[in-house]
Amino acid sequence: MQQRDILIEKGQITSIGKRISADKKVKVVERENLYVSPGWFDSSVSFGEPGYEERETLANGLEVAGKSGFTGIVLNTNTQPHPDTGGDIVFLKETTKNHCTALYPMGTVSLASEGKALSEMYDMYLAGAVAFSDYKNSLDDPNLLKLALLYTQNFQSVVYSFPQDGQLNPKGQMHEGEVSLRLGLRGIPSLSESLRVARDLAILEYTGGKLHIPTISTGAAVGLIGAAKKKGLDVSCSVAIHHLWHTDEALDGFDSVFKTLPPLRDKREVKALLKGLRDGVIDYVTSDHCPLDVEEKRREFDQAAFGAIGLEETFGILNQIFGPEMAAGILTRGRERFGLTKTTIEVGQQANLTLFNPEADYTLTQKDLLSTSSNSMFLGIPLKGKVYGIVRGEKSLF
C-alpha cells in the first residue's frame, strides 16, 4: 500500500504522485482514512426488474451496488421473462447504460430456464451477454450441459452450472446434519453438491469449453475443482459471502432469512471453504445478492423462499476475515473470466476505483440498508470497513 494522490481528467487517470497540486476547478475528494483500490466486481447479483420490480429495480439495485463499492456486476437470469433472446440482453444494457456501476447481463442456458432446449446463446452473446446461466435451476440433463459447453467454444463464453443434484434432496430446506435432525427439517446433503460437481467436471473434460460453478458450499467441491484445475480443465468457481461466516446453527430459531441455496453448511464446511479461498482454488467471492419481498420470507419455514441480500455487507465481512489488502484483492477478481478488461490504477487508464475506509467499525441495522428488500442475514452483526463510493470513467457515486 502506498500513499498517493490520483488526478482524474475526463474519466482518465492522468497523474499519480505523492502530492498533486489542484486548482479550484478540480473536485478534491477527501475522506477520513481514505483507501483506493481498483473497482470491485461481483459475478452473481440478482435484482428484480423486469418482472419483479417490487423486489428491486435495476436503477436502485445499481445504486446499492455502487455505494457498496462495486463498479461492475454480473446480473443473474432470475427475472420474468427470463433473458433468453438477444432482445432481452439489449433491453438490460440500454436500460442501465448511464449508471455508474456497469451491469453485465447473462443469458439463460436453456429457453425460459426450463432445462429442455438451448437458448439463443450466440444472438445473446452478440448483444452483450457475458455468460450463460439458468441461475439456481440445476442443469439436470447432462446432454444440455454438453451441448452448451461445445456450442459456446465458438465464441469463448462461459457456462454456469449450479452445483446441486435435486434428486438427492426433494423438498430439502437446509443442510442435512445434526441441526436439521434436531429441527425436524428436510435436509440437503453435501453429497448433492459433490455429485453434481463431479458430473459437470467429467462433462467438461470430455467437451472442453469454459465452466463456472457458482456458490459452492462444501469442502468436497473444493477438492474436486482443485484436482480439475491441476488437470488443466478450464473451470472457475465462487463462494457466497454468507457461506464464509454463518453455519446451519443460525437456523435454530427457524428464521427464514437464513434460508439460502446452497444451504448454510456446518463449521467443518466453512473451514474448508476459507482454506479453499486462501489456497486459490476458489476464484471469487460473491454477494449472491437476492432481494425478496417480505411476504416471500415471512412464511412457514418450508414455504419461505430461498435467498438473501448481500451487496452492502460483503466488504465488511471479508475485511473482518482477511484484512483490507486481501479483501480488496478478492473483490477485484473476475473481470477477465467474462472477457472484460482488468482494472488497474495506472496513468492512462480509465478510472475504475473503489473508495473505502478499512478501519471504520459499525453494526448493520435495518435503517442502514439501501436495498428495497430487507432479507439480510447480517443485521446486528459488527462489521469492519466502510465504503465511501466509486468512480468509473466520468461518473462517480458517493
Side-chain angles (χ1 to χ4, degrees):
M1 295 185 184
Q2 301 177 355
Q3 188 170 347
R4 293 288 187 271
D5 286 347
I6 302 172
L7 180 62
I8 300 170
E9 298 178 278
K10 296 182 179 180
Q12 190 175 69
I13 298 173
T14 57
S15 182
I16 301 174
K18 290 185 177 180
R19 186 169 183 81
I20 299 173
S21 298
D23 59 35
K24 294 181 180 180
K25 296 180 181 179
V26 174
K27 178 182 178 181
V28 179
V29 178
E30 292 182 312
R31 297 289 191 276
E32 181 182 1
N33 197 35
L34 177 61
Y35 280 59
V36 178
S37 86
W40 301 343
F41 181 79
D42 193 330
S43 61
S44 178
V45 173
S46 301
F47 295 139
E49 187 180 2
Y52 303 107
E53 287 81 359
E54 69 279 2
R55 297 177 182 175
E56 189 95 82
T57 64
L58 290 167
N60 191 75
L62 287 172
E63 184 168 351
V64 172
K67 290 182 177 179
S68 302
F70 294 93
T71 60
I73 63 101
V74 176
L75 185 69
N76 287 318
T77 58
N78 54 331
T79 56
Q80 191 58 248
H82 298 284
D84 58 7
T85 69
D88 296 324
I89 301 301
V90 170
F91 165 79
L92 291 168
K93 290 182 69 67
E94 285 296 311
T95 303
T96 61
K97 65 182 180 182
N98 293 321
H99 288 269
C100 194
T101 295
L103 182 147
Y104 302 105
M106 286 194 284
T108 60
V109 176
S110 65
L111 289 172
S113 286
E114 293 178 346
K116 296 178 180 178
L118 286 182
S119 63
E120 299 177 13
M121 301 175 89
Y122 186 60
D123 285 347
M124 288 190 284
Y125 168 77
L126 292 178
V130 298
F132 300 93
S133 166
D134 279 359
Y135 188 49
K136 300 199 176 182
N137 294 328
S138 300
L139 299 178
D140 292 332
D141 181 352
N143 192 53
L144 187 72
L145 178 60
K146 184 189 79 170
L147 292 174
L149 287 169
L150 287 169
Y151 187 58
T152 51
Q153 289 179 56
N154 295 314
F155 42 96
Q156 294 296 300
S157 197
V158 179
V159 176
Y160 278 50
S161 181
F162 181 62
Q164 183 168 291
D165 188 327
Q167 292 180 318
L168 276 171
N169 54 276
K171 299 182 180 180
Q173 300 295 310
M174 64 173 294
H175 172 63
E176 184 175 274
E178 292 182 11
V179 179
S180 66
L181 288 171
R182 184 170 71 245
L183 298 180
L185 292 172
R186 287 178 180 263
I188 301 174
S190 298
L191 181 65
S192 69
E193 179 169 295
S194 57
L195 279 182
R196 181 50 54 93
V197 170
R199 185 208 74 169
D200 290 354
L201 291 172
I203 294 172
L204 176 67
E205 186 170 14
Y206 179 78
T207 61
K210 296 183 177 183
L211 177 67
H212 180 71
I213 303 175
T215 59
I216 64 171
S217 63
T218 66
V222 173
L224 288 165
I225 294 167
K229 287 185 173 185
K230 287 180 180 178
K231 291 170 69 173
L233 300 187
D234 195 346
V235 59
S236 57
C237 65
S238 67
V239 62
I241 186 64
H242 43 263
H243 283 115
L244 299 176
W245 187 266
H246 288 295
T247 69
D248 57 345
E249 293 176 1
L251 283 93
D252 261 334
F254 292 94
D255 188 344
S256 62
V257 76
F258 296 100
K259 184 179 179 181
T260 64
L261 273 183
L264 298 176
R265 302 290 186 183
D266 59 27
K267 291 179 181 179
R268 180 178 61 85
E269 302 288 24
V270 172
K271 185 177 179 180
L273 293 171
L274 289 168
K275 184 177 186 302
L277 191 56
R278 289 189 178 98
D279 292 346
V281 176
I282 298 176
D283 300 276
Y284 322 121
V285 172
T286 172
S287 67
D288 203 28
H289 185 78
C290 182
L292 293 166
D293 271 356
V294 65
E295 290 83 4
E296 295 175 281
K297 278 293 188 179
R298 288 185 182 173
R299 298 181 178 183
E300 293 294 325
F301 192 89
D302 63 343
Q303 298 298 315
F306 292 95
I309 59 173
L311 280 168
E312 296 164 77
E313 302 92 333
T314 296
F315 176 67
I317 294 296
L318 273 183
N319 186 34
Q320 201 150 280
I321 297 172
F322 298 113
E325 192 163 359
M326 185 172 177
I330 289 170
L331 292 174
T332 59
R333 301 175 187 168
R335 283 183 171 83
E336 305 98 300
R337 182 64 170 165
F338 301 92
L340 306 171
T341 303
K342 182 179 180 180
T343 58
T344 58
I345 304 177
E346 298 177 3
V347 173
Q349 295 295 312
Q350 184 187 59
N352 195 311
L353 309 171
T354 298
L355 287 62
F356 62 100
N357 176 357
E359 301 301 327
D361 295 310
Y362 69 104
T363 299
L364 189 70
T365 66
Q366 194 80 47
K367 67 179 182 181
D368 296 320
L369 295 176
L370 301 173
S371 175
T372 50
S373 293
S374 58
N375 53 315
S376 169
M377 62 175 72
F378 293 103
L379 292 174
I381 292 178
L383 301 178
K384 190 174 186 65
K386 196 78 172 178
V387 175
Y388 291 131
I390 60 172
V391 178
R392 188 173 70 91
E394 297 187 55
K395 302 180 180 74
S396 61
L397 182 62
F398 298 104

